[in-house]
Amino acid sequence: MSRRASIVKALVEKLKVISTDAGYKTDLAEAAFPFLKFWDEVNNFPSIYCTAGSEAREYMPSNFTWGFLGLSLKVYCKGDDSQQLLENLLEDIETVIDANRVLIYDSTNGYETTEILITSITTDEGLLVPSLS
């Protein structure tokens, strides 16, 4: 498995702990996945789909390289107050990421991230709310 795929898989495993039993606002029921699905393919709500995006490298002296990997999380919620459900789940995701800023993604080789940061959050702003007609 590539390092990119290993990072995605390790983050998804951390996100699976989101549940009301663990003190979070959302019960995810382990519905976090290391692949992409579009909204019309989603059957489980709430759910999170994570994929690796673009990667940038910065080559330093002494044969050292910084790698910057963008991850995309697609988060889906459904309910009477879906905007509030989404806000709760986003807050839970942020809590998990803050608790796992250094993420071990390959314990056999001792590979870990240096730091995981949230750089942006974008929502559909209610665009995908199903019509009532």
Side-chain angles (χ1 to χ4, degrees), residues 56-60 64-68 114-115:
R57 302 249 173 126
E58 187 175 330
Y59 296 96
M60 308 298 285
F64 181 79
T65 304
W66 281 110
F68 303 92
T114 301
E115 187 171 29

Side-chain angles (χ1 to χ4, degrees), residues 8-9 12 21 34 59 62 93 98 122 133:
V8 169
K9 184 179 176 188
V12 164
D21 292 340
Y59 296 96
S62 299
I93 291 168
D98 286 345
T122 306
S133 57

Side-chain angles (χ1 to χ4, degrees), residues 83 86 122-129:
Q83 280 301 118
L86 176 61
T122 306
T123 71
D124 70 348
E125 299 175 1
L127 183 65
L128 295 177
V129 172

Side-chain angles (χ1 to χ4, degrees), residues 18-38:
I18 296 174
S19 97
T20 51
D21 292 340
Y24 293 94
K25 294 179 178 182
T26 307
D27 190 7
L28 193 58
E30 294 192 12
F33 307 97
F35 53 84
L36 181 63
K37 269 196 178 181
F38 295 100

Side-chain angles (χ1 to χ4, degrees), residues 63-77:
N63 202 25
F64 181 79
T65 304
W66 281 110
F68 303 92
L69 176 63
L71 298 180
S72 178
L73 300 179
K74 302 288 186 189
V75 179
Y76 300 99
C77 296

Side-chain angles (χ1 to χ4, degrees), residues 25-55:
K25 294 179 178 182
T26 307
D27 190 7
L28 193 58
E30 294 192 12
F33 307 97
F35 53 84
L36 181 63
K37 269 196 178 181
F38 295 100
W39 69 272
D40 59 337
E41 300 173 309
V42 176
N43 295 317
N44 300 328
F45 298 94
S47 57
I48 302 170
Y49 295 88
C50 182
T51 58
S54 62
E55 183 177 353

